[in-house]
Amino acid sequence: MEFSSEFIPLKLDEVPALSDRMKSEHARFVQILAVNTDAGVDLVYSFMMDGGALCNYEVKGVKKTDVVPSITSNFLAAFVFENEIHDLFGVTIEGIAIDFGGKYDKLEHIANLKWDVLIIDEAHEGVDTFKNDVAFD
């Protein structure tokens, strides 16, 4: 298997169809990356396909007034990413399967910081781990 990676433009209203298609193609959800830009927040949805292709779907310039549909109905692990993107970037995400509602105390002291890039890599372990306790204490 040879690894490859590509970046594919995606419109905000295409997120639900992408999620459904990735599930039907048995893609593995990898992550959602959020980046502050002058145009808003860019979101990159990454999926690993059979055969080693990493497909990164880019939604550019999400505004605070936009509503991003959750992909947790197909990829439950995305709830960690979606909650932190909501809390740290102010992006409204609708329909998160496990929604902390912006009240996850561990993030309270950093919620007002402006993040250029946020990468969350504890999704496989959950949100209440020893590593997280050490990192946020």
Side-chain angles (χ1 to χ4, degrees):
M1 172 173 36
E2 186 174 315
F3 175 78
S4 64
S5 180
E6 64 180 316
F7 287 83
I8 304 149
L10 183 72
K11 294 179 183 169
L12 184 57
D13 63 355
E14 296 172 332
V15 169
L18 171 68
S19 177
D20 291 342
R21 184 167 57 85
M22 291 295 100
K23 182 178 181 179
S24 71
E25 293 179 12
H26 307 286
R28 178 177 167 255
F29 168 72
V30 176
Q31 60 100 42
I32 306 170
L33 172 80
V35 180
N36 273 321
T37 67
D38 290 337
V41 176
D42 290 356
L43 300 175
V44 181
Y45 293 81
S46 300
F47 297 90
M48 183 63 75
M49 308 303 290
D50 287 340
L54 180 64
C55 296
N56 303 286
Y57 294 89
E58 299 178 292
V59 179
K60 301 265 189 184
V62 175
K63 308 281 188 246
K64 303 280 187 203
T65 55
D66 291 333
V67 176
V68 176
S70 173
I71 65 167
T72 56
S73 62
N74 289 324
F75 300 97
L76 183 59
F79 85 92
V80 176
F81 298 86
E82 292 178 344
N83 274 285
E84 290 200 12
I85 290 167
H86 169 264
D87 293 352
L88 299 177
F89 288 86
V91 173
T92 301
I93 301 179
E94 188 173 72
I96 304 174
I98 303 171
D99 189 347
F100 298 138
K103 297 181 179 23
Y104 191 56
D105 293 338
K106 280 188 175 181
L107 301 176
E108 185 175 348
H109 64 285
I110 57 174
N112 292 325
L113 295 175
K114 181 174 176 167
W115 295 92
D116 292 325
V117 175
L118 174 66
I119 300 172
I120 306 155
D121 72 352
E122 291 289 327
H124 63 283
E125 295 178 28
V127 294
D128 194 17
T129 66
F130 177 72
K131 284 182 184 178
N132 281 346
D133 290 342
V134 170
F136 289 112
D137 285 339

